[in-house]
Amino acid sequence: NETLLRDEIGRYLNINPDNIVAGNGSSEMIELVMKTFIDKDDIILSFIPTFSMYSIFSKIYSAKFVGIKSNDDFSTNMDILIRIAKEIKPKVIFLCNPNNPTGYLTDKNEIKKLLESVDSIVVVDEAYMEFARDSVVEEISRYKNLIVLRTLSKALGLAAIRLGYMAACEDIIKVIKKVKSPY
Ligand SMILES: *Cc1c(COP(=O)(O)O)cnc(C)c1O
């Protein structure tokens, strides 16, 4: 049952179960963010290379995907991303952390700096965070523009059961639930 599941995830992440929405993999959560917040011609910003579904869903929802190239050693520069975000005002910023496919891990303080510098919704996709450290999931109570995505597909090897979830503040969860199908 859904309440039991959210209670269990809440304990696992040390957050309030009311701040969680679970669904058919984090892929559904990525699409749900688009469905909920993206209007035609909105800008979606990300470092590249990154998880391909961000740009694929951007296309499907008629948004403009802007990718900022990683450095040759796969590191990324948050100050550049913040500067560009201030300029082009993306509706949503996707940050895959650790990043698929490069494995680059962005420092938590860099993500906090981003959250404090922009009005955009910042989606931190933590599909591989069980293999790393520096999750920002507990920051959802502090930042109203933060969405964290998690999945059982990678560390737990359960891709076929299709279970992923999002953590965010009450206001975001409320509007996401209005858009999400109940199944
Ligand atoms: C695998 C993956 C997903 C999607 O996984 P689901 O099976 O839909 O939960 C999302 N984001 C990243 C970065 C991934 O690598």
Short mmCIF file of all heavy atoms in Angstrom, two decimals, residues 3 27 70 113 120 130 160 163 171:
data_model
loop_
_atom_site.label_atom_id
_atom_site.label_comp_id
_atom_site.label_asym_id
_atom_site.label_seq_id
_atom_site.Cartn_x
_atom_site.Cartn_y
_atom_site.Cartn_z
N THR A 3 0.81 4.25 1.34
CA THR A 3 1.23 4.94 2.57
C THR A 3 2.39 4.20 3.24
O THR A 3 3.36 4.82 3.69
CB THR A 3 0.04 5.03 3.55
OG1 THR A 3 -1.09 5.54 2.82
CG2 THR A 3 0.35 5.96 4.69
N SER A 27 11.92 7.50 -14.37
CA SER A 27 11.54 8.00 -15.70
C SER A 27 10.17 8.68 -15.65
O SER A 27 9.98 9.74 -16.24
CB SER A 27 11.46 6.86 -16.71
OG SER A 27 12.64 6.13 -16.72
N SER A 70 30.57 19.55 -20.29
CA SER A 70 31.51 19.26 -19.20
C SER A 70 32.93 19.53 -19.67
O SER A 70 33.20 19.56 -20.87
CB SER A 70 31.41 17.78 -18.80
OG SER A 70 30.11 17.44 -18.46
N LYS A 113 24.53 26.27 -3.62
CA LYS A 113 24.81 27.58 -4.23
C LYS A 113 23.87 27.80 -5.43
O LYS A 113 23.31 28.88 -5.58
CB LYS A 113 26.29 27.61 -4.67
CG LYS A 113 26.77 28.96 -5.16
CD LYS A 113 28.30 29.03 -5.20
CE LYS A 113 28.88 28.18 -6.31
NZ LYS A 113 30.34 28.31 -6.45
N SER A 120 14.75 28.92 -10.90
CA SER A 120 14.36 27.70 -11.63
C SER A 120 14.13 26.54 -10.66
O SER A 120 14.67 26.53 -9.56
CB SER A 120 15.47 27.27 -12.59
OG SER A 120 16.04 28.37 -13.23
N GLU A 130 23.27 5.87 -4.18
CA GLU A 130 23.65 4.81 -3.25
C GLU A 130 25.11 4.38 -3.43
O GLU A 130 25.70 3.78 -2.53
CB GLU A 130 22.73 3.59 -3.40
CG GLU A 130 21.39 3.71 -2.69
CD GLU A 130 20.33 4.40 -3.54
OE1 GLU A 130 20.65 4.89 -4.64
OE2 GLU A 130 19.17 4.45 -3.07
N ALA A 160 13.04 -3.85 -13.26
CA ALA A 160 11.83 -4.44 -13.84
C ALA A 160 10.58 -4.22 -12.98
O ALA A 160 9.47 -4.31 -13.49
CB ALA A 160 12.03 -5.95 -14.07
N LEU A 163 9.93 1.06 -9.99
CA LEU A 163 9.63 1.88 -8.82
C LEU A 163 10.70 2.96 -8.64
O LEU A 163 11.89 2.67 -8.48
CB LEU A 163 9.53 1.02 -7.56
CG LEU A 163 9.16 1.76 -6.27
CD1 LEU A 163 7.85 2.53 -6.40
CD2 LEU A 163 9.07 0.80 -5.09
N ASP A 171 4.57 22.24 -1.44
CA ASP A 171 3.95 22.95 -2.55
C ASP A 171 4.18 22.21 -3.87
O ASP A 171 3.26 22.10 -4.69
CB ASP A 171 4.51 24.37 -2.66
CG ASP A 171 4.02 25.25 -1.52
OD1 ASP A 171 3.03 24.84 -0.86
OD2 ASP A 171 4.61 26.30 -1.27
#
